Short mmCIF file of all heavy atoms in Angstrom, two decimals:
data_model
loop_
_atom_site.label_atom_id
_atom_site.label_comp_id
_atom_site.label_asym_id
_atom_site.label_seq_id
_atom_site.Cartn_x
_atom_site.Cartn_y
_atom_site.Cartn_z
N MET A 1 25.36 -0.05 13.52
CA MET A 1 24.85 0.29 12.20
C MET A 1 24.43 -0.97 11.48
O MET A 1 25.15 -1.96 11.47
CB MET A 1 25.94 1.03 11.43
CG MET A 1 25.54 1.40 10.02
SD MET A 1 26.76 2.47 9.26
CE MET A 1 27.35 1.41 7.98
N GLY A 2 23.24 -0.97 10.86
CA GLY A 2 22.76 -2.12 10.13
C GLY A 2 23.39 -2.19 8.75
O GLY A 2 24.10 -1.29 8.31
N SER A 3 23.10 -3.28 8.06
CA SER A 3 23.63 -3.42 6.70
C SER A 3 22.86 -2.52 5.75
O SER A 3 21.73 -2.12 6.02
CB SER A 3 23.54 -4.87 6.25
OG SER A 3 22.20 -5.29 6.20
N ALA A 4 23.47 -2.21 4.63
CA ALA A 4 22.83 -1.36 3.62
C ALA A 4 21.67 -2.11 2.99
O ALA A 4 21.72 -3.31 2.77
CB ALA A 4 23.85 -0.95 2.57
N ARG A 5 20.60 -1.37 2.70
CA ARG A 5 19.43 -1.95 2.03
C ARG A 5 19.46 -1.55 0.56
O ARG A 5 19.65 -0.39 0.22
CB ARG A 5 18.14 -1.48 2.68
CG ARG A 5 16.90 -2.09 2.01
CD ARG A 5 15.64 -1.82 2.78
NE ARG A 5 15.58 -2.56 4.02
CZ ARG A 5 15.15 -3.83 4.13
NH1 ARG A 5 14.79 -4.50 3.07
NH2 ARG A 5 15.08 -4.41 5.31
N LEU A 6 19.27 -2.55 -0.30
CA LEU A 6 19.29 -2.36 -1.74
C LEU A 6 17.91 -2.63 -2.31
O LEU A 6 17.16 -3.46 -1.79
CB LEU A 6 20.29 -3.31 -2.39
CG LEU A 6 21.68 -3.37 -1.79
CD1 LEU A 6 22.53 -4.39 -2.54
CD2 LEU A 6 22.34 -2.01 -1.80
N LEU A 7 17.59 -1.96 -3.42
CA LEU A 7 16.35 -2.22 -4.15
C LEU A 7 16.73 -2.70 -5.55
O LEU A 7 17.42 -1.99 -6.29
CB LEU A 7 15.50 -0.95 -4.24
CG LEU A 7 14.21 -1.04 -5.05
CD1 LEU A 7 13.28 -2.15 -4.51
CD2 LEU A 7 13.49 0.30 -5.06
N LEU A 8 16.31 -3.92 -5.88
CA LEU A 8 16.58 -4.50 -7.20
C LEU A 8 15.28 -4.52 -7.99
O LEU A 8 14.24 -4.95 -7.49
CB LEU A 8 17.09 -5.93 -7.07
CG LEU A 8 18.31 -6.17 -6.21
CD1 LEU A 8 18.66 -7.66 -6.22
CD2 LEU A 8 19.48 -5.35 -6.67
N VAL A 9 15.35 -4.09 -9.25
CA VAL A 9 14.16 -4.03 -10.10
C VAL A 9 14.47 -4.70 -11.43
O VAL A 9 15.38 -4.27 -12.15
CB VAL A 9 13.71 -2.57 -10.35
CG1 VAL A 9 12.36 -2.54 -11.06
CG2 VAL A 9 13.67 -1.76 -9.06
N ASP A 10 13.72 -5.74 -11.74
CA ASP A 10 13.88 -6.44 -13.02
C ASP A 10 12.61 -7.23 -13.28
O ASP A 10 11.94 -7.65 -12.34
CB ASP A 10 15.08 -7.39 -12.97
CG ASP A 10 15.55 -7.78 -14.36
OD1 ASP A 10 14.73 -8.34 -15.13
OD2 ASP A 10 16.72 -7.54 -14.69
N ASP A 11 12.27 -7.41 -14.55
CA ASP A 11 11.05 -8.14 -14.88
C ASP A 11 11.29 -9.64 -15.02
O ASP A 11 10.39 -10.39 -15.37
CB ASP A 11 10.39 -7.57 -16.14
CG ASP A 11 11.34 -7.43 -17.30
OD1 ASP A 11 12.51 -7.86 -17.19
OD2 ASP A 11 10.93 -6.88 -18.33
N GLU A 12 12.49 -10.09 -14.72
CA GLU A 12 12.81 -11.52 -14.74
C GLU A 12 12.95 -12.01 -13.30
O GLU A 12 13.95 -11.75 -12.63
CB GLU A 12 14.09 -11.78 -15.51
CG GLU A 12 13.97 -11.48 -16.98
CD GLU A 12 15.21 -11.84 -17.76
OE1 GLU A 12 15.82 -12.90 -17.45
OE2 GLU A 12 15.59 -11.07 -18.65
N ALA A 13 11.94 -12.75 -12.84
CA ALA A 13 11.89 -13.20 -11.45
C ALA A 13 13.09 -14.08 -11.08
O ALA A 13 13.64 -13.95 -9.98
CB ALA A 13 10.59 -13.94 -11.18
N ALA A 14 13.51 -14.96 -11.97
CA ALA A 14 14.63 -15.86 -11.66
C ALA A 14 15.92 -15.07 -11.45
O ALA A 14 16.70 -15.38 -10.53
CB ALA A 14 14.80 -16.88 -12.78
N LEU A 15 16.15 -14.07 -12.26
CA LEU A 15 17.35 -13.24 -12.11
C LEU A 15 17.30 -12.46 -10.81
O LEU A 15 18.30 -12.37 -10.09
CB LEU A 15 17.49 -12.29 -13.30
CG LEU A 15 18.67 -11.32 -13.26
CD1 LEU A 15 19.99 -12.08 -13.18
CD2 LEU A 15 18.64 -10.41 -14.46
N LEU A 16 16.14 -11.91 -10.49
CA LEU A 16 15.99 -11.17 -9.22
C LEU A 16 16.31 -12.07 -8.03
O LEU A 16 17.01 -11.66 -7.10
CB LEU A 16 14.57 -10.64 -9.07
CG LEU A 16 14.25 -9.30 -9.67
CD1 LEU A 16 12.80 -8.94 -9.38
CD2 LEU A 16 15.17 -8.21 -9.19
N GLU A 17 15.79 -13.28 -8.04
CA GLU A 17 16.01 -14.20 -6.93
C GLU A 17 17.49 -14.57 -6.79
O GLU A 17 18.03 -14.61 -5.69
CB GLU A 17 15.17 -15.46 -7.11
CG GLU A 17 15.17 -16.38 -5.92
CD GLU A 17 14.64 -15.74 -4.64
OE1 GLU A 17 13.78 -14.86 -4.71
OE2 GLU A 17 15.11 -16.13 -3.56
N LEU A 18 18.15 -14.81 -7.91
CA LEU A 18 19.58 -15.13 -7.90
C LEU A 18 20.39 -13.96 -7.34
O LEU A 18 21.24 -14.15 -6.45
CB LEU A 18 20.05 -15.46 -9.32
CG LEU A 18 21.54 -15.77 -9.48
CD1 LEU A 18 21.88 -17.07 -8.79
CD2 LEU A 18 21.89 -15.81 -10.95
N LEU A 19 20.15 -12.76 -7.82
CA LEU A 19 20.86 -11.58 -7.32
C LEU A 19 20.58 -11.34 -5.84
O LEU A 19 21.49 -11.02 -5.06
CB LEU A 19 20.47 -10.34 -8.13
CG LEU A 19 21.03 -10.26 -9.53
CD1 LEU A 19 20.38 -9.11 -10.28
CD2 LEU A 19 22.54 -10.09 -9.50
N LYS A 20 19.33 -11.51 -5.44
CA LYS A 20 18.96 -11.30 -4.04
C LYS A 20 19.72 -12.26 -3.13
O LYS A 20 20.29 -11.84 -2.12
CB LYS A 20 17.45 -11.47 -3.86
CG LYS A 20 17.00 -11.29 -2.43
CD LYS A 20 15.51 -11.42 -2.28
CE LYS A 20 15.15 -11.21 -0.81
NZ LYS A 20 13.74 -11.14 -0.59
N LYS A 21 19.72 -13.53 -3.47
CA LYS A 21 20.43 -14.52 -2.64
C LYS A 21 21.92 -14.20 -2.54
O LYS A 21 22.51 -14.28 -1.47
CB LYS A 21 20.23 -15.92 -3.22
CG LYS A 21 18.86 -16.48 -2.97
CD LYS A 21 18.73 -17.87 -3.55
CE LYS A 21 17.34 -18.41 -3.32
NZ LYS A 21 17.18 -19.75 -3.87
N TYR A 22 22.52 -13.86 -3.66
CA TYR A 22 23.95 -13.54 -3.67
C TYR A 22 24.26 -12.31 -2.79
O TYR A 22 25.17 -12.34 -1.97
CB TYR A 22 24.42 -13.30 -5.10
CG TYR A 22 25.88 -12.96 -5.19
CD1 TYR A 22 26.85 -13.95 -5.06
CD2 TYR A 22 26.30 -11.65 -5.41
CE1 TYR A 22 28.20 -13.64 -5.13
CE2 TYR A 22 27.64 -11.33 -5.48
CZ TYR A 22 28.58 -12.33 -5.33
OH TYR A 22 29.92 -12.02 -5.40
N LEU A 23 23.48 -11.26 -2.96
CA LEU A 23 23.72 -10.03 -2.20
C LEU A 23 23.42 -10.21 -0.72
O LEU A 23 24.12 -9.64 0.13
CB LEU A 23 22.90 -8.88 -2.79
CG LEU A 23 23.38 -8.42 -4.17
CD1 LEU A 23 22.35 -7.52 -4.83
CD2 LEU A 23 24.73 -7.72 -4.07
N GLU A 24 22.42 -11.02 -0.39
CA GLU A 24 22.15 -11.29 1.02
C GLU A 24 23.29 -12.07 1.67
O GLU A 24 23.64 -11.82 2.82
CB GLU A 24 20.82 -12.04 1.18
CG GLU A 24 19.63 -11.14 0.95
CD GLU A 24 18.30 -11.87 1.00
OE1 GLU A 24 18.26 -13.10 0.78
OE2 GLU A 24 17.28 -11.18 1.24
N ARG A 25 23.90 -12.98 0.93
CA ARG A 25 25.08 -13.70 1.45
C ARG A 25 26.24 -12.75 1.72
O ARG A 25 27.07 -13.02 2.58
CB ARG A 25 25.52 -14.80 0.48
CG ARG A 25 24.75 -16.07 0.68
CD ARG A 25 25.36 -17.20 -0.10
NE ARG A 25 24.43 -17.47 -1.19
CZ ARG A 25 24.76 -17.93 -2.37
NH1 ARG A 25 26.00 -18.20 -2.66
NH2 ARG A 25 23.85 -18.13 -3.29
N LEU A 26 26.28 -11.65 0.98
CA LEU A 26 27.33 -10.64 1.20
C LEU A 26 26.98 -9.69 2.34
O LEU A 26 27.76 -8.82 2.68
CB LEU A 26 27.56 -9.84 -0.08
CG LEU A 26 28.19 -10.62 -1.24
CD1 LEU A 26 28.25 -9.74 -2.48
CD2 LEU A 26 29.58 -11.12 -0.87
N GLY A 27 25.78 -9.85 2.92
CA GLY A 27 25.41 -9.06 4.08
C GLY A 27 24.45 -7.92 3.83
O GLY A 27 24.13 -7.16 4.75
N TYR A 28 23.96 -7.79 2.60
CA TYR A 28 23.02 -6.71 2.29
C TYR A 28 21.58 -7.13 2.59
O TYR A 28 21.25 -8.31 2.51
CB TYR A 28 23.11 -6.32 0.81
CG TYR A 28 24.43 -5.72 0.43
CD1 TYR A 28 25.40 -6.48 -0.20
CD2 TYR A 28 24.72 -4.39 0.73
CE1 TYR A 28 26.62 -5.93 -0.54
CE2 TYR A 28 25.94 -3.84 0.39
CZ TYR A 28 26.89 -4.61 -0.24
OH TYR A 28 28.09 -4.07 -0.57
N GLU A 29 20.76 -6.16 2.92
CA GLU A 29 19.32 -6.38 2.98
C GLU A 29 18.78 -5.99 1.60
O GLU A 29 19.15 -4.95 1.07
CB GLU A 29 18.69 -5.50 4.05
CG GLU A 29 19.16 -5.83 5.45
CD GLU A 29 18.53 -4.92 6.48
OE1 GLU A 29 17.36 -4.55 6.32
OE2 GLU A 29 19.23 -4.60 7.45
N VAL A 30 17.93 -6.85 1.03
CA VAL A 30 17.53 -6.66 -0.37
C VAL A 30 16.01 -6.73 -0.51
O VAL A 30 15.37 -7.67 -0.05
CB VAL A 30 18.17 -7.74 -1.27
CG1 VAL A 30 17.76 -7.55 -2.72
CG2 VAL A 30 19.69 -7.73 -1.14
N ASP A 31 15.44 -5.71 -1.16
CA ASP A 31 14.05 -5.73 -1.58
C ASP A 31 14.04 -5.86 -3.09
O ASP A 31 14.94 -5.34 -3.77
CB ASP A 31 13.33 -4.42 -1.19
CG ASP A 31 13.16 -4.28 0.31
OD1 ASP A 31 13.11 -5.32 1.02
OD2 ASP A 31 13.07 -3.14 0.78
N THR A 32 13.04 -6.55 -3.63
CA THR A 32 12.95 -6.73 -5.07
C THR A 32 11.58 -6.31 -5.59
O THR A 32 10.59 -6.40 -4.86
CB THR A 32 13.21 -8.20 -5.48
OG1 THR A 32 12.21 -9.02 -4.88
CG2 THR A 32 14.60 -8.65 -5.06
N CYS A 33 11.55 -5.87 -6.84
CA CYS A 33 10.30 -5.54 -7.53
C CYS A 33 10.40 -6.03 -8.97
O CYS A 33 11.45 -5.91 -9.60
CB CYS A 33 10.06 -4.04 -7.54
SG CYS A 33 9.65 -3.36 -5.94
N LEU A 34 9.27 -6.54 -9.46
CA LEU A 34 9.21 -6.98 -10.85
C LEU A 34 8.76 -5.87 -11.80
O LEU A 34 8.87 -6.02 -13.01
CB LEU A 34 8.25 -8.16 -10.98
CG LEU A 34 8.74 -9.47 -10.37
CD1 LEU A 34 7.60 -10.47 -10.25
CD2 LEU A 34 9.86 -10.04 -11.20
N ALA A 35 8.27 -4.77 -11.25
CA ALA A 35 7.76 -3.67 -12.08
C ALA A 35 8.22 -2.33 -11.51
O ALA A 35 8.32 -2.16 -10.29
CB ALA A 35 6.24 -3.71 -12.13
N SER A 36 8.47 -1.39 -12.39
CA SER A 36 8.95 -0.07 -11.98
C SER A 36 7.92 0.67 -11.13
O SER A 36 8.27 1.38 -10.21
CB SER A 36 9.36 0.76 -13.19
OG SER A 36 8.33 0.78 -14.15
N LYS A 37 6.63 0.48 -11.42
CA LYS A 37 5.60 1.17 -10.63
C LYS A 37 5.64 0.72 -9.17
O LYS A 37 5.46 1.53 -8.26
CB LYS A 37 4.21 0.99 -11.23
CG LYS A 37 3.69 -0.42 -11.22
CD LYS A 37 2.28 -0.49 -11.78
CE LYS A 37 1.75 -1.90 -11.82
NZ LYS A 37 1.67 -2.57 -10.54
N ASP A 38 5.92 -0.55 -8.94
CA ASP A 38 6.03 -1.06 -7.57
C ASP A 38 7.29 -0.53 -6.89
O ASP A 38 7.27 -0.18 -5.71
CB ASP A 38 6.04 -2.58 -7.56
CG ASP A 38 4.76 -3.17 -8.12
OD1 ASP A 38 3.69 -2.53 -8.00
OD2 ASP A 38 4.82 -4.28 -8.70
N ALA A 39 8.37 -0.44 -7.64
CA ALA A 39 9.62 0.10 -7.09
C ALA A 39 9.46 1.57 -6.73
O ALA A 39 9.94 2.01 -5.68
CB ALA A 39 10.75 -0.08 -8.10
N LEU A 40 8.77 2.33 -7.58
CA LEU A 40 8.53 3.74 -7.28
C LEU A 40 7.71 3.90 -6.00
O LEU A 40 7.99 4.77 -5.19
CB LEU A 40 7.81 4.42 -8.44
CG LEU A 40 8.69 4.79 -9.63
CD1 LEU A 40 7.83 5.19 -10.82
CD2 LEU A 40 9.66 5.89 -9.26
N ALA A 41 6.72 3.04 -5.81
CA ALA A 41 5.89 3.11 -4.61
C ALA A 41 6.73 2.83 -3.36
O ALA A 41 6.60 3.54 -2.36
CB ALA A 41 4.73 2.13 -4.71
N LEU A 42 7.59 1.81 -3.41
CA LEU A 42 8.46 1.51 -2.27
C LEU A 42 9.40 2.67 -1.99
O LEU A 42 9.58 3.07 -0.84
CB LEU A 42 9.31 0.26 -2.55
CG LEU A 42 8.70 -1.09 -2.26
CD1 LEU A 42 9.68 -2.19 -2.65
CD2 LEU A 42 8.31 -1.22 -0.81
N TYR A 43 9.99 3.19 -3.03
CA TYR A 43 10.96 4.28 -2.88
C TYR A 43 10.29 5.54 -2.33
O TYR A 43 10.81 6.19 -1.44
CB TYR A 43 11.63 4.58 -4.22
CG TYR A 43 12.70 5.62 -4.12
CD1 TYR A 43 13.98 5.27 -3.72
CD2 TYR A 43 12.44 6.95 -4.39
CE1 TYR A 43 14.98 6.22 -3.61
CE2 TYR A 43 13.42 7.91 -4.28
CZ TYR A 43 14.69 7.54 -3.90
OH TYR A 43 15.67 8.49 -3.78
N GLU A 44 9.14 5.88 -2.87
CA GLU A 44 8.44 7.10 -2.44
C GLU A 44 7.98 7.03 -0.99
O GLU A 44 7.87 8.04 -0.32
CB GLU A 44 7.28 7.40 -3.38
CG GLU A 44 7.76 7.87 -4.74
CD GLU A 44 6.66 8.01 -5.77
OE1 GLU A 44 5.48 7.71 -5.46
OE2 GLU A 44 6.97 8.41 -6.90
N ALA A 45 7.72 5.81 -0.50
CA ALA A 45 7.31 5.64 0.89
C ALA A 45 8.42 6.04 1.86
O ALA A 45 8.14 6.54 2.95
CB ALA A 45 6.88 4.20 1.14
N ASP A 46 9.68 5.83 1.46
CA ASP A 46 10.82 6.18 2.32
C ASP A 46 12.07 6.32 1.46
O ASP A 46 12.86 5.37 1.34
CB ASP A 46 11.02 5.11 3.39
CG ASP A 46 12.11 5.46 4.38
OD1 ASP A 46 12.67 6.58 4.30
OD2 ASP A 46 12.42 4.62 5.23
N PRO A 47 12.29 7.46 0.83
CA PRO A 47 13.43 7.66 -0.08
C PRO A 47 14.80 7.44 0.55
O PRO A 47 15.75 7.12 -0.14
CB PRO A 47 13.28 9.11 -0.55
CG PRO A 47 11.87 9.46 -0.28
CD PRO A 47 11.45 8.64 0.89
N GLU A 48 14.90 7.57 1.86
CA GLU A 48 16.20 7.40 2.53
C GLU A 48 16.50 5.94 2.85
O GLU A 48 17.58 5.63 3.34
CB GLU A 48 16.21 8.22 3.82
CG GLU A 48 16.00 9.71 3.60
CD GLU A 48 17.08 10.35 2.74
OE1 GLU A 48 18.26 10.02 2.95
OE2 GLU A 48 16.74 11.14 1.86
N ARG A 49 15.57 5.06 2.59
CA ARG A 49 15.71 3.65 2.97
C ARG A 49 16.79 2.92 2.18
O ARG A 49 17.45 2.02 2.69
CB ARG A 49 14.37 2.95 2.78
CG ARG A 49 14.39 1.51 3.15
CD ARG A 49 13.03 0.90 3.00
NE ARG A 49 13.10 -0.46 3.51
CZ ARG A 49 12.08 -1.13 3.96
NH1 ARG A 49 10.90 -0.60 3.95
NH2 ARG A 49 12.23 -2.35 4.40
N TYR A 50 16.97 3.28 0.92
CA TYR A 50 17.84 2.50 0.03
C TYR A 50 19.18 3.19 -0.21
O TYR A 50 19.24 4.35 -0.59
CB TYR A 50 17.14 2.24 -1.30
CG TYR A 50 15.90 1.40 -1.11
CD1 TYR A 50 14.64 1.97 -1.18
CD2 TYR A 50 16.00 0.05 -0.80
CE1 TYR A 50 13.50 1.21 -0.96
CE2 TYR A 50 14.87 -0.72 -0.57
CZ TYR A 50 13.63 -0.14 -0.65
OH TYR A 50 12.51 -0.90 -0.43
N ALA A 51 20.24 2.40 -0.02
CA ALA A 51 21.59 2.88 -0.31
C ALA A 51 21.86 2.81 -1.81
O ALA A 51 22.68 3.56 -2.34
CB ALA A 51 22.61 2.04 0.44
N LEU A 52 21.15 1.90 -2.50
CA LEU A 52 21.39 1.70 -3.93
C LEU A 52 20.13 1.12 -4.57
O LEU A 52 19.47 0.25 -3.98
CB LEU A 52 22.54 0.71 -4.14
CG LEU A 52 22.86 0.31 -5.58
CD1 LEU A 52 23.53 1.45 -6.31
CD2 LEU A 52 23.74 -0.93 -5.60
N VAL A 53 19.81 1.61 -5.76
CA VAL A 53 18.74 1.04 -6.58
C VAL A 53 19.40 0.50 -7.83
O VAL A 53 20.08 1.24 -8.56
CB VAL A 53 17.67 2.09 -6.95
CG1 VAL A 53 16.61 1.48 -7.87
CG2 VAL A 53 17.03 2.68 -5.70
N LEU A 54 19.23 -0.79 -8.08
CA LEU A 54 19.80 -1.45 -9.24
C LEU A 54 18.65 -1.92 -10.12
O LEU A 54 17.77 -2.64 -9.66
CB LEU A 54 20.66 -2.64 -8.80
CG LEU A 54 21.37 -3.43 -9.88
CD1 LEU A 54 22.40 -2.56 -10.59
CD2 LEU A 54 22.03 -4.66 -9.27
N THR A 55 18.64 -1.48 -11.39
CA THR A 55 17.50 -1.78 -12.25
C THR A 55 17.90 -2.19 -13.65
O THR A 55 18.96 -1.82 -14.16
CB THR A 55 16.57 -0.54 -12.33
OG1 THR A 55 15.40 -0.91 -13.06
CG2 THR A 55 17.23 0.64 -12.99
N ASP A 56 17.01 -2.93 -14.27
CA ASP A 56 17.08 -3.21 -15.69
C ASP A 56 16.58 -1.95 -16.40
O ASP A 56 15.59 -1.35 -15.98
CB ASP A 56 16.15 -4.40 -15.99
CG ASP A 56 16.09 -4.78 -17.45
OD1 ASP A 56 16.74 -4.13 -18.29
OD2 ASP A 56 15.37 -5.74 -17.77
N LEU A 57 17.25 -1.52 -17.42
CA LEU A 57 16.83 -0.30 -18.12
C LEU A 57 15.68 -0.54 -19.08
O LEU A 57 15.00 0.39 -19.47
CB LEU A 57 18.02 0.32 -18.86
CG LEU A 57 19.13 0.88 -17.98
CD1 LEU A 57 20.26 1.43 -18.84
CD2 LEU A 57 18.60 1.94 -17.04
N THR A 58 15.45 -1.80 -19.48
CA THR A 58 14.44 -2.08 -20.49
C THR A 58 13.16 -2.67 -19.89
O THR A 58 12.58 -3.60 -20.42
CB THR A 58 14.99 -3.05 -21.56
OG1 THR A 58 15.38 -4.27 -20.91
CG2 THR A 58 16.16 -2.44 -22.29
N LEU A 59 12.70 -2.10 -18.80
CA LEU A 59 11.45 -2.54 -18.18
C LEU A 59 10.26 -2.09 -19.01
O LEU A 59 10.31 -1.04 -19.66
CB LEU A 59 11.33 -1.94 -16.77
CG LEU A 59 12.38 -2.36 -15.76
CD1 LEU A 59 12.31 -1.47 -14.53
CD2 LEU A 59 12.20 -3.82 -15.38
N ALA A 60 9.18 -2.86 -18.95
CA ALA A 60 7.94 -2.48 -19.63
C ALA A 60 7.28 -1.34 -18.86
O ALA A 60 7.52 -1.17 -17.67
CB ALA A 60 7.01 -3.68 -19.71
N GLY A 61 6.46 -0.58 -19.53
CA GLY A 61 5.81 0.55 -18.88
C GLY A 61 6.81 1.67 -18.67
O GLY A 61 7.35 2.21 -19.62
N ILE A 62 7.08 1.99 -17.42
CA ILE A 62 8.09 3.00 -17.09
C ILE A 62 9.44 2.31 -17.16
O ILE A 62 9.72 1.41 -16.36
CB ILE A 62 7.84 3.57 -15.68
CG1 ILE A 62 6.45 4.18 -15.57
CG2 ILE A 62 8.91 4.60 -15.32
CD1 ILE A 62 6.03 4.51 -14.15
N ASN A 63 10.29 2.70 -18.11
CA ASN A 63 11.58 2.03 -18.22
C ASN A 63 12.49 2.40 -17.05
O ASN A 63 12.21 3.33 -16.29
CB ASN A 63 12.24 2.30 -19.58
CG ASN A 63 12.69 3.74 -19.76
OD1 ASN A 63 13.20 4.37 -18.85
ND2 ASN A 63 12.49 4.26 -20.95
N GLY A 64 13.57 1.67 -16.89
CA GLY A 64 14.47 1.86 -15.76
C GLY A 64 15.06 3.25 -15.67
O GLY A 64 15.18 3.82 -14.58
N GLU A 65 15.42 3.82 -16.81
CA GLU A 65 16.00 5.17 -16.81
C GLU A 65 15.00 6.21 -16.32
O GLU A 65 15.32 7.07 -15.50
CB GLU A 65 16.50 5.51 -18.21
CG GLU A 65 17.32 6.77 -18.26
CD GLU A 65 17.93 7.01 -19.63
OE1 GLU A 65 17.85 6.14 -20.51
OE2 GLU A 65 18.50 8.10 -19.80
N GLU A 66 13.78 6.11 -16.81
CA GLU A 66 12.74 7.06 -16.38
C GLU A 66 12.41 6.87 -14.90
O GLU A 66 12.20 7.84 -14.16
CB GLU A 66 11.48 6.89 -17.22
CG GLU A 66 10.39 7.89 -16.88
CD GLU A 66 9.14 7.74 -17.73
OE1 GLU A 66 9.19 7.11 -18.80
OE2 GLU A 66 8.10 8.27 -17.32
N MET A 67 12.38 5.61 -14.45
CA MET A 67 12.11 5.34 -13.05
C MET A 67 13.17 5.99 -12.15
O MET A 67 12.85 6.64 -11.17
CB MET A 67 12.08 3.83 -12.80
CG MET A 67 11.81 3.44 -11.35
SD MET A 67 12.11 1.70 -11.03
CE MET A 67 13.90 1.62 -11.16
N LEU A 68 14.44 5.84 -12.52
CA LEU A 68 15.52 6.43 -11.74
C LEU A 68 15.45 7.95 -11.75
O LEU A 68 15.72 8.61 -10.74
CB LEU A 68 16.87 5.96 -12.25
CG LEU A 68 17.18 4.47 -12.03
CD1 LEU A 68 18.47 4.10 -12.74
CD2 LEU A 68 17.26 4.15 -10.55
N GLU A 69 15.08 8.52 -12.88
CA GLU A 69 14.92 9.98 -12.96
C GLU A 69 13.82 10.45 -12.01
O GLU A 69 13.99 11.45 -11.32
CB GLU A 69 14.59 10.40 -14.41
CG GLU A 69 14.49 11.89 -14.59
CD GLU A 69 15.79 12.64 -14.36
OE1 GLU A 69 16.87 12.05 -14.52
OE2 GLU A 69 15.73 13.85 -14.02
N ARG A 70 12.72 9.74 -11.98
CA ARG A 70 11.63 10.10 -11.05
C ARG A 70 12.10 10.00 -9.60
O ARG A 70 11.75 10.83 -8.77
CB ARG A 70 10.42 9.21 -11.27
CG ARG A 70 9.70 9.48 -12.56
CD ARG A 70 8.47 8.63 -12.66
NE ARG A 70 7.85 8.77 -13.97
CZ ARG A 70 6.66 8.24 -14.27
NH1 ARG A 70 5.98 7.55 -13.38
NH2 ARG A 70 6.16 8.40 -15.47
N MET A 71 12.87 8.97 -9.30
CA MET A 71 13.40 8.82 -7.94
C MET A 71 14.34 9.97 -7.59
O MET A 71 14.31 10.47 -6.47
CB MET A 71 14.12 7.48 -7.80
CG MET A 71 13.21 6.29 -7.79
SD MET A 71 14.17 4.76 -7.74
CE MET A 71 12.86 3.55 -7.59
N ARG A 72 15.15 10.35 -8.52
CA ARG A 72 16.11 11.42 -8.29
C ARG A 72 15.40 12.74 -8.02
O ARG A 72 15.87 13.58 -7.25
CB ARG A 72 17.05 11.55 -9.48
CG ARG A 72 18.18 12.50 -9.23
CD ARG A 72 19.19 12.53 -10.31
NE ARG A 72 18.70 12.01 -11.57
CZ ARG A 72 19.41 11.91 -12.66
NH1 ARG A 72 20.66 12.30 -12.65
NH2 ARG A 72 18.91 11.42 -13.77
N LEU A 73 14.25 12.95 -8.64
CA LEU A 73 13.50 14.20 -8.46
C LEU A 73 12.75 14.26 -7.12
O LEU A 73 12.24 15.30 -6.76
CB LEU A 73 12.52 14.39 -9.62
CG LEU A 73 13.17 14.63 -10.98
CD1 LEU A 73 12.11 14.66 -12.07
CD2 LEU A 73 14.00 15.90 -10.98
N ARG A 74 12.67 13.17 -6.41
CA ARG A 74 11.95 13.13 -5.11
C ARG A 74 12.81 13.73 -4.03
O ARG A 74 13.91 13.69 -3.89
CB ARG A 74 11.58 11.71 -4.73
CG ARG A 74 10.65 11.07 -5.70
CD ARG A 74 9.22 11.44 -5.38
NE ARG A 74 8.36 10.90 -6.42
CZ ARG A 74 7.39 11.58 -6.96
NH1 ARG A 74 7.12 12.79 -6.61
NH2 ARG A 74 6.63 11.04 -7.86
#
């Protein structure tokens, strides 16, 4: 069994990179997105791919809460 794949979404690139490095050291596979629209596209391509989606709730455009709701409805 491979490691769990996580999707991180935040509009702060430096924070995303820090979280990604930390989680990869713990053995997770990590994808990152700076925008909710990009995260939705990744998720919709393969909804079973991610064990966890971690997001900032105050994203521009589609906020994190709305993005998660859309993912849940898929």
Side-chain angles (χ1 to χ4, degrees):
M1 178 171 114
S3 62
R5 181 170 289 276
L6 311 178
L7 177 57
L8 305 180
V9 188
D10 198 302
D11 51 5
E12 293 185 39
L15 178 59
L16 273 181
E17 189 60 30
L18 178 68
L19 286 171
K20 179 178 180 172
K21 286 181 181 179
Y22 180 76
L23 291 167
E24 286 176 337
R25 276 190 251 150
L26 292 175
Y28 295 100
E29 296 179 36
V30 180
D31 291 334
T32 61
C33 290
L34 289 166
S36 52
K37 65 177 178 60
D38 298 330
L40 282 168
L42 275 178
Y43 184 83
E44 289 173 358
D46 185 5
E48 301 298 318
R49 181 177 186 156
Y50 297 105
L52 176 73
V53 177
L54 181 64
T55 186
D56 178 359
L57 293 178
T58 60
L59 296 168
I62 302 168
N63 68 40
E65 190 173 352
E66 183 179 342
M67 180 191 70
L68 292 173
E69 183 65 25
R70 289 184 186 188
M71 289 176 175
R72 188 173 20 181
L73 293 174
R74 298 275 175 224

